[in-house]
Amino acid sequence: MVYYDPILRAPRTLDVARHLNARVLNEGEIATRRVLETAIAARSVAEMVHRLTPGTLIMAAGDRDDIMLATALSASNGCNWPGWC
């Protein structure tokens, strides 16, 4: 019997980058991190901060500096801020 494991169907961030033909600026752990869910950030940081969780791919417009900064701070902090993740 094979048990269901959502990690087995989650693409690596490397797979997503290749599919989008994206230019990777900082590889980090791109080959081992998995995308468990996707969030499209079209709201303010205060309204989407609950989506900044490990395994979430955040998609935002290039001019949304607030979203990029919040995402980077959350990731660099290990997503351990009270009320943030």
Side-chain angles (χ1 to χ4, degrees), residues 12-40:
R12 297 173 300 168
T13 49
L14 176 62
D15 301 326
V16 174
R18 285 180 179 164
H19 180 74
L20 297 174
N21 198 23
R23 181 173 54 110
V24 178
L25 301 176
N26 182 3
E27 288 188 15
E29 299 173 7
I30 194 170
T32 58
R33 290 193 180 216
R34 300 269 178 180
V35 177
L36 301 175
E37 64 177 303
T38 303
I40 299 175

Side-chain angles (χ1 to χ4, degrees), residues 28-74:
E29 299 173 7
I30 194 170
T32 58
R33 290 193 180 216
R34 300 269 178 180
V35 177
L36 301 175
E37 64 177 303
T38 303
I40 299 175
R43 303 182 281 181
S44 67
V45 173
E47 296 297 323
M48 60 83 54
V49 74
H50 67 280
R51 300 298 303 270
L52 298 178
T53 58
T56 302
L57 174 66
I58 305 294
M59 298 176 68
D63 64 347
R64 292 302 305 266
D65 297 334
D66 57 336
I67 300 296
M68 289 184 225
L69 181 60
T71 303
L73 286 172
S74 179

